[in-house]
Amino acid sequence: MSGTLESVIVPTTPFDDQKPGTSGLRKKVKVFMQKNYTENFVQCILDALGEKLKGSTLVVGGDGRYFSKPAINTIIRIASANEVSKLIIGQLGISSTPAVSALIRQEKVLGGIVLTASHNPGGIRNDFGIKYNIENGGPAPDQITNTIYELTKKITQYKTTPSLETDRIIDVLGTRTFNVEGRTFTVEIIDSSKEYVALMKNIFDFHKLRALIRGTDKRPAFHILLDSMNGVTGVYVRNIFVEELGASPDNNVRRVVPLDNFGEIHPDPNLTYAKDLVNALKADSSYDFGAAFDGDGDRNMILGKNAFFVTPSDSLAVLANNLECIPYFKKNGINGFARSMPTAAAVDRVAAKLGKEIFEVPTGWKYFGNLMDAGRLSLCGEESFGTGSNHIREKDGLWAVLAWLSIIEHKNMGVEDILKEHWKLYGRNYFTRYDYEECETESANQLMQHLEALIADGSFVGKSFCSGGKSYTVAKADNFSYVDPIDNSVANNQGIRILFDDGSRLIYRLSGTGSSGATIRIYIECYEKEDVLTDAQIMLKPLVNIGLEISQLKKFTGREEPTVIT
């Protein structure tokens, strides 16, 4: 332990743009680089924790994107001055979001600070983010993020220990202690992948998965291609798939070195931004399976042979229908399922058949946490490529891939055949999402106000719309609200829903995950019992046209085409 270090109080003034979105505060890097900007927000996180903060332990980690190291140095100095007892930090600042959640739960600490903008681009010109996860390992609920925001509007000072030497502290594994005004302050640098790999070994049968990937004398090798998109999962993919499961480092994994700018790509695992992976599977039919992950490792995209695409809604339903393939669920049982409101209702049909509870919650993983903590939820998902279970309180991309491979191994079937079998049994919820990114905020707000006025008009319900020879009649229209069945907290204004009498749906939301402008999302869904093999974009085209007509999107935004279609 070095000599006594003195903390100081630094005067500051509020910034008016520190309201957290769906999952933390996300802004351009250069916004966080402003004097006192990061310091203010970190201090407000700590202040929001109240008396529990003194003597506490916090986890710190992130996806290693640009500005992570200066932000961690800031967190170390501010935490030390605010009487935090210990920080557990991933080496080089690297910890996937699922790994942070797992570590918070395993170590039973107060919470964690996660430095990520998830699937948003990185580098000095792009995005950075800070979010707080609570004791259960999940994202902070609205009550805490609202408290943080209120504090940011009136902050006048922050505490820091400027003489605490942080340079290179996160580079080397081990524990260092400091004397800060007579208090012992500890910084432990860990390999975050070790604990996570051990957790996955407790959930899945690695012996069977290795036999699947390597092949046996009775079964050929199952050829996979996993794309970490230069994000944080590269570390975990190497440890799990290459070292533990015997995958080839040359032929089965790609872009596994985390880069602070993600190699100037957009690390979002969908058909648009992961097109390199799609093309690789189309070009080489020997690949049986593909998957991509986002920057911080909580999202996943599943592909079969020849890049057969599995929607996240279908992925959730298939997992729900086959959880008996996974040792964890055999041991712990299956309590219930949940999906975010915009996610297609395919999993609802599985829940009905299996006699399990099904919950429809607002977008944002924090809404699943209470249900899991109460023992009523085992598996959940969002259409935005997030899937997870009650092993942690975050979505988990690597877990989802291991779950899919477990089903494939158990059923001895490929991805496409598994989907076709599922659709034959349950019918198909055709689903697509149109994203219009970085729209002018005022125009986006006007579009939503237009929709609000439309659904408030009593004559809207019962109105019919026609396109492509199909007719749809409005059965219900509202702005989705949610009452948490565990704590009775209420979330209002979660998205405009237009429900048609045949079960088709149109959903309109402004995304809370961008760093600038507004992203308008339109979700389009229809259900077919028999016609399950038509291309989704063809099947949904009439409803897409009606969705654009109802919203008058072109009039409000000037946009002819979406930025991304998923």
Side-chain angles (χ1 to χ4, degrees), residues 12-20 25 37-45 47-48 144-156:
T12 189
T13 54
F15 294 85
D16 62 5
D17 63 345
Q18 293 196 327
K19 182 175 177 60
L25 181 68
Y37 192 91
T38 300
E39 288 83 351
N40 278 20
F41 194 69
V42 171
Q43 182 67 59
C44 291
I45 289 175
D47 287 345
I144 291 178
T145 56
N146 289 340
T147 299
I148 293 169
Y149 179 48
E150 291 303 315
L151 290 168
T152 69
K153 294 194 287 187
K154 55 191 178 188
I155 186 171
T156 60

Side-chain angles (χ1 to χ4, degrees), residues 358-372:
I358 181 72
F359 300 92
E360 182 181 34
V361 309
T363 296
W365 211 260
K366 55 196 170 190
Y367 296 106
F368 296 126
N370 275 359
L371 296 165
M372 289 181 175

Side-chain angles (χ1 to χ4, degrees), residues 220-248:
F222 190 75
H223 203 193
I224 66 173
L225 184 58
L226 307 181
D227 189 348
S228 294
M229 299 186 80
N230 303 316
V232 70
T233 55
V235 176
Y236 302 84
V237 164
R238 285 199 307 269
N239 288 357
I240 290 174
F241 286 93
V242 176
E243 294 174 18
E244 294 284 346
L245 300 180
S248 163

Side-chain angles (χ1 to χ4, degrees), residues 46-57:
L46 300 185
D47 287 345
L49 302 178
E51 287 301 312
K52 293 187 293 185
L53 184 70
K54 290 185 179 180
S56 67
T57 297

Side-chain angles (χ1 to χ4, degrees), residues 178-312:
F178 304 87
N179 182 334
V180 180
E181 298 181 331
R183 302 183 306 272
T184 298
F185 174 67
T186 304
V187 178
E188 182 182 2
I189 308 302
I190 65 161
D191 175 354
S192 66
S193 66
K194 275 190 177 179
E195 307 291 347
Y196 181 82
V197 172
L199 176 61
M200 293 301 107
K201 282 184 163 182
N202 283 331
I203 293 172
F204 300 102
D205 187 330
F206 270 38
H207 176 73
K208 286 183 177 179
L209 292 175
R210 183 179 176 88
L212 173 72
I213 290 169
R214 298 285 293 177
T216 65
D217 53 359
K218 297 177 181 176
R219 188 176 189 170
F222 190 75
H223 203 193
I224 66 173
L225 184 58
L226 307 181
D227 189 348
S228 294
M229 299 186 80
N230 303 316
V232 70
T233 55
V235 176
Y236 302 84
V237 164
R238 285 199 307 269
N239 288 357
I240 290 174
F241 286 93
V242 176
E243 294 174 18
E244 294 284 346
L245 300 180
S248 163
D250 301 316
N251 300 318
N252 296 139
V253 301
R254 66 197 307 267
R255 298 195 284 198
V256 293
V257 177
L259 302 175
D260 69 1
N261 65 351
F262 306 115
E264 294 291 337
I265 66 166
H266 192 147
D268 194 356
N270 59 47
L271 293 173
T272 299
Y273 295 124
K275 196 153 185 63
D276 282 3
L277 175 66
V278 173
N279 291 340
L281 264 64
K282 286 181 176 177
D284 187 346
S285 61
S286 71
Y287 282 114
D288 300 298
F289 178 92
F293 310 101
D294 69 337
D296 68 326
D298 60 358
R299 298 180 185 226
N300 73 94
M301 177 174 70
I302 302 295
L303 301 170
K305 188 179 279 290
N306 301 313
F308 177 87
F309 173 61
V310 182
T311 71

Side-chain angles (χ1 to χ4, degrees), residues 105 136 328 332-337 356-357 359 368-379 390 393 486:
R105 294 175 63 77
N136 74 350
Y328 174 87
N332 297 305
I334 302 165
N335 300 322
F337 307 130
K356 303 295 181 183
E357 272 193 299
F359 300 92
F368 296 126
N370 275 359
L371 296 165
M372 289 181 175
D373 291 347
R376 291 175 69 180
L377 178 58
S378 292
L379 176 75
N390 58 354
R393 297 296 182 268
I486 309 304

